[in-house]
Amino acid sequence: MLLELLTAGGLAKLLGAVGLVVVTVIMHAAGFSALLRAMIRSHALDTSGFWRITWLLVGLTCWLMLIHLVEISVWGLFYFWQGCMPDAPDAGSAIYFSGVTYTSLGYGDQLLAKPWRMLAPLETLTGILMCGLSTGLFFAVVSRFMSNFMKRRTR
């Protein structure tokens, strides 16, 4: 496997994978940045009240899911354009495979062609890291709400 990566074709595939990882992280950072700027501008982190917080969390969840879906689509479209999936001739199947891989669900009902198989673990690692970042943001927002609640309650 390592020898395959060190060949000219393998090195190009590895560089493509690294490029996908970089693009994914940049997209996630841009999505986070836009989300945080919007939350700061709207003073959303100072929100109180059950329904206001609930709707804010629903919006946060939807935005984070949108970021992940775009990232999954980028990987899937790369697989499609590069012909990485010989048994899946359409973009929908490639995006489905990407979603299953990114989320580490891993059904195994579709596989990348042998020369491209190292991309799947890299996508999974990237997906785990990006989901972890999203979880961290979600936790930070909920912690901020709890802190605000406790401050108001002790006044």
Side-chain angles (χ1 to χ4, degrees), residues 57 60 64 132-146:
L57 291 177
L60 176 65
L64 291 173
L133 280 173
S134 294
T135 301
L137 177 65
F138 207 89
F139 179 80
V141 168
V142 170
S143 293
R144 177 70 179 261
F145 291 149
M146 292 300 296

Side-chain angles (χ1 to χ4, degrees), residues 11-137:
L11 193 55
K13 289 174 178 62
L14 183 61
L15 289 175
V18 169
L20 282 168
V21 170
V22 168
V23 166
T24 303
V25 172
I26 289 170
M27 289 170 42
H28 214 78
F32 257 44
S33 178
L35 177 62
L36 290 174
R37 278 195 312 265
M39 290 178 77
I40 290 167
R41 245 189 338 268
S42 69
H43 302 283
L45 296 175
D46 299 326
T47 299
S48 64
F50 175 78
W51 287 110
R52 288 178 57 128
I53 290 173
T54 299
W55 285 113
L56 187 71
L57 291 177
V58 167
L60 176 65
T61 301
C62 290
W63 184 256
L64 291 173
M65 289 181 74
L66 178 65
I67 294 169
H68 289 288
L69 289 172
V70 170
E71 293 164 0
I72 288 167
S73 297
V74 166
W75 282 82
L77 291 173
F78 176 85
Y79 295 146
F80 175 68
W81 288 327
Q82 293 298 315
C84 298
M85 304 186 67
D87 299 334
D90 60 5
S93 295
I95 292 171
Y96 162 78
F97 171 81
S98 178
V100 168
T101 303
Y102 182 96
T103 60
S104 74
L105 189 57
Y107 283 140
D109 55 340
Q110 294 183 11
L111 295 173
L112 295 175
K114 203 162 188 104
W116 294 97
R117 292 221 175 127
M118 277 309 295
L119 268 69
L122 289 174
E123 182 182 6
T124 301
L125 286 171
T126 304
I128 290 169
L129 289 170
M130 297 306 101
C131 288
L133 280 173
S134 294
T135 301
L137 177 65

